Each structure stands twice: as C-alpha cells, then as structure tokens.
Amino acid sequence: MYVLGIESSCDETAAAIVTEKKEILSNIIYSQIEEHRLFGGVVPELAARAHLEKIDLVVEKALEDADLEISQIDVVAGTCGPGLIGGLIVGATFSKSISMAMNIPFIAANHIEAHALSIRLTENIDFPYLLLLMSGGHCQSCIVHSANHFEIIGKTLDDSIGEAFDKVAKLLGLGYPGGPAVEKKSAGGDDESFPLPRPLCRKESCDFSFAGLKTAVRIATGKCKTEQDRINLSASFQRAVIDILVYKTEQALGICRGKGIGLSAVVISGGVAANQRIRTELQNICHQHGLRFLAPPANICTDNGAMIAWLGVEKILVNQRSDLRFSPRPRWPLGTHCS
Ligand code: KG4
Ligand code: ZN
C-alpha cells in the first residue's frame, strides 16, 4: 500500500510516500525559513502563499523520488489541523483534490497525532507507550493506548516548549528558527551560571509552564555583558528545560505505575525532540527506570510528510477514512475524530 502524506500546517511544505511496511520511499521538505527569517518568526500570510507556490512541486518530487505515478497511490493523507489556517486550506484542498481525482481514500490528518505516532514508522513499538510531545505549538504528556486513544495526563498551562526556545533565541539575538540556535549556542556554556526557575517542579502534576522561565531569561539578559555570558545564559535555560522534562517524566511514570499500565517505552517527538542534549538526558532517566527510550530521527521529529503519510497508514489499518467535506481546524485537540 502506497500512502501519500502532505504537510502544510506551519512553515514547511512537505510530501512523502510511505508503505504499511514502514518503508519511507520519499520524504521531501521545502522549508520556508528564508521567507520568514527577516521577520524573526513565521508570518502566516507569507506561509500560506509559499505553500501554494510549492505544494505541487513538492508532491511531484515525492512521486519522482519514490519512482511512482500518482495513479499508483492508494491513500492520500493531508494535515487538516491544528495549525495556521491559510496553510491548512492549501494542503487540505490539494489532498482532497487528489483523492477526488484518483478516487482513493482521504485521511484528514491531525498533525499532533502524526507526531504522536511517528515513532511507529521508525521503530517496532507496541501500545501503550508514554509520549512526551514537544513542538512549536504544543507540550503534552500522554499515554498512547492505540492509534485512536490518547490519554492526556499533562499539558502546558501557558507557552509551548518550542515557543520558549524560540523566544529565548530572540531575546539572545540568535535569530530564527530558535531551537537549533539555542542548542548550538549552549554548547560549551556553564549551565549553572544563571539561577533560573523550574516552574511547577515542586507540584505533583504532569502539567508544564514555561512563561515564568522565559520572563526570568528576559530579566537575566540585563546581566549579560559578554558573549560568554550569553552562551552561559543559553546553557542555563536549556538546563532548566531539561530539569523540567526529567521531573515531569518521573511524574508521568508515577501516574502510569499508579494506573497499573505496563509501558512498552517512553517516547519523545515533535521539533524540540530533535535536541540532542534533551534526548541523551531523558534516555538516561528511562534506563535508570529499566525502560526503553525511543525518539524518531531528527528529520522525523521536526515537521515532515512521512509522519502524515504514516498516520494515514494507521487510520486505514483501523478502517478509518475522512469525508471530503472535512473542514480544516486551526485548533484540533488530540484524539478527536477525523471523519
Ligand atoms: O514539530 P515542529 O517542527 O513544528 C510544530 O509542530 O510546531 O516544532 C518546531 C519547534 C520550534 O519551536 C523549534 O525551535 C523547535 O521545534 N526545535 C528545537 C530544535 N529543533 C527544532 N528546539 C530545541 N532544540 C532543537 N534542536
Ligand atoms: Zn509539528
């Protein structure tokens, strides 16, 4: 079965073809970084126009790389939310048009569900697993019971984790996109030099909060006199984030134990999961608990079409498909219906 996945919810126009055997036959990503760099962040109207300009080229290239004709595609999945409405309309309309023209099933893909299940494309892993989803728009921990059942046990009360990285990058003048820039800057920094808060880390809760940490970094920038100070502040911020993630993972594992759930693994996904330091530290914690730790490769953590195509595989395998009248949803919580 050949499944085409199309992603256009934020600043990447992406298309990929995968099979139910976990083969990634192509994975094309056109990043709009250059369009948005000048503005220090994603400009929704520019993003929508760029998606419109590139989407047919990206899909064509995905077919070419996979050495397939459009007539050989069995299912098309397109991101229909959550995300920026302009881009969602472009991707949803394009995917539905392919579905209609080729008379193949259409899957309205929830971008967050795609991040949540992406690990099953790159690894052999059974349900249930504990997921820490960390992206530009979300920060949640949940127990993934099946391709349709996501039990959310914690979420951010204010900013998402990616937003915190992006804002700190801006405060430190590191530019856009912020996450990779903060990671790079932090290398070689003293991560204990700036005392920063770890919000909600004395509470027995899996919820997150990053607004106070971000404000503390803003105040601390006033004490940055040298380049080394900025490197140290960047490292101290990354350290604080890691401490928060470690604490919240411990909390989540406690909840799973309390519920008597035997986890197959702890999984991280979403753009921030590309951060090598975060991966290493969470891996250590999981191994201390005797648990398997898994993260998709970095190019499947950040936005891509392969995870959307894989979501299509998961949904088709449980006999789901979406109506062509499905409207894109800028807000679309995990686990609500795609039909
Ligand atoms: O999942 P994603 O590509 O898009 C959304 O669904 O939002 O996540 C993008 C976020 C951005 O905030 C970006 O700064 C962050 O992921 N990010 C990182 C790294 N790479 C991307 N954050 C920390 N370290 C990284 N290496
Ligand atoms: Zn994403």
Side-chain angles (χ1 to χ4, degrees), residues 95-223:
S95 329
K96 287 178 189 178
S97 308
I98 292 175
S99 156
M100 212 182 307
M102 307 312 299
N103 197 22
I104 54 175
F106 162 65
I107 304 289
N110 178 312
H111 181 91
I112 304 302
E113 285 188 10
H115 274 305
L117 297 171
S118 59
I119 195 67
R120 285 167 48 83
L121 169 62
T122 58
E123 302 282 346
N124 289 320
I125 166 178
D126 291 328
F127 300 116
Y129 53 88
L130 175 67
L131 172 79
L132 257 99
L133 193 144
M134 356 187 196
S135 71
H138 292 79
C139 187
Q140 295 181 334
S141 52
C142 68
I143 305 164
V144 183
H145 292 280
S146 75
N148 276 321
H149 184 190
F150 306 86
E151 183 181 353
I152 297 172
I153 56 174
K155 58 184 179 330
T156 182
L157 304 180
D158 40 57
D159 296 349
S160 81
I161 185 167
E163 217 175 327
F165 268 97
D166 293 337
K167 285 190 182 155
V168 164
K170 219 171 194 174
L171 287 168
L172 293 172
L174 304 180
Y176 159 87
V182 169
E183 180 175 16
K184 203 163 156 212
K185 196 77 180 167
S186 301
D190 173 1
D191 64 7
E192 289 178 356
S193 51
F194 285 87
L196 297 172
R198 275 79 169 144
L200 300 187
C201 282
R202 278 198 285 263
K203 265 190 122 162
E204 276 194 26
S205 146
C206 291
D207 287 338
F208 301 85
S209 166
F210 294 101
L213 174 57
K214 188 185 70 193
T215 305
V217 171
R218 184 168 54 73
I219 294 167
T221 52
K223 294 185 193 133

Side-chain angles (χ1 to χ4, degrees), residues 33-322:
I33 286 177
E34 289 315 318
E35 272 91 337
H36 303 293
R37 196 189 296 282
L38 194 64
F39 305 94
V42 181
V43 183
E45 181 58 26
L46 289 183
R49 286 170 195 231
H51 285 306
L52 201 52
E53 258 174 39
K54 297 288 182 216
I55 197 155
D56 50 343
L57 303 173
V58 166
V59 170
E60 236 171 65
K61 183 84 174 87
L63 287 164
E64 192 186 310
D65 277 17
D67 204 12
L68 290 171
E69 300 287 332
I70 187 78
S71 56
Q72 291 173 276
I73 298 297
D74 298 296
V75 178
V76 57
T79 304
C80 286
L84 301 172
I85 189 65
L88 292 176
I89 290 173
V90 173
T93 308
F94 202 84
S95 329
K96 287 178 189 178
S97 308
I98 292 175
S99 156
M100 212 182 307
M102 307 312 299
N103 197 22
I104 54 175
F106 162 65
I107 304 289
N110 178 312
H111 181 91
I112 304 302
E113 285 188 10
H115 274 305
L117 297 171
S118 59
I119 195 67
R120 285 167 48 83
L121 169 62
T122 58
E123 302 282 346
N124 289 320
I125 166 178
D126 291 328
F127 300 116
Y129 53 88
L130 175 67
L131 172 79
L132 257 99
L133 193 144
M134 356 187 196
S135 71
H138 292 79
C139 187
Q140 295 181 334
S141 52
C142 68
I143 305 164
V144 183
H145 292 280
S146 75
N148 276 321
H149 184 190
F150 306 86
E151 183 181 353
I152 297 172
I153 56 174
K155 58 184 179 330
T156 182
L157 304 180
D158 40 57
D159 296 349
S160 81
I161 185 167
E163 217 175 327
F165 268 97
D166 293 337
K167 285 190 182 155
V168 164
K170 219 171 194 174
L171 287 168
L172 293 172
L174 304 180
Y176 159 87
V182 169
E183 180 175 16
K184 203 163 156 212
K185 196 77 180 167
S186 301
D190 173 1
D191 64 7
E192 289 178 356
S193 51
F194 285 87
L196 297 172
R198 275 79 169 144
L200 300 187
C201 282
R202 278 198 285 263
K203 265 190 122 162
E204 276 194 26
S205 146
C206 291
D207 287 338
F208 301 85
S209 166
F210 294 101
L213 174 57
K214 188 185 70 193
T215 305
V217 171
R218 184 168 54 73
I219 294 167
T221 52
K223 294 185 193 133
C224 280
K225 303 272 182 285
T226 63
E227 183 56 18
Q228 188 59 45
D229 289 341
R230 293 197 318 139
I231 294 171
N232 290 344
L233 181 53
S234 182
S236 300
F237 163 74
Q238 191 172 260
R239 177 77 255 159
V241 169
I242 291 170
D243 288 350
I244 294 166
L245 292 174
V246 166
Y247 179 83
K248 296 298 173 183
T249 303
E250 302 265 16
Q251 291 288 311
L253 290 176
I255 287 186
C256 293
R257 266 195 309 273
K259 286 172 176 277
I261 295 173
L263 295 170
S264 66
V266 175
V267 172
I268 59 171
S269 71
V272 181
N275 185 296
Q276 194 50 53
R277 193 72 195 271
I278 292 177
R279 293 164 86 101
T280 307
E281 302 250 357
L282 289 178
Q283 177 163 41
N284 290 342
I285 286 297
C286 293
H287 289 174
Q288 280 168 27
H289 283 269
L291 278 164
R292 194 176 175 209
F293 171 83
L294 294 173
N299 70 329
I300 303 291
C301 285
T302 48
D303 288 350
N304 65 88
M307 68 176 190
I308 304 300
W310 178 253
L311 184 84
V313 171
E314 295 268 17
K315 298 288 174 181
I316 281 292
L317 291 180
V318 292
N319 291 321
Q320 274 188 11
R321 54 195 287 171
S322 309

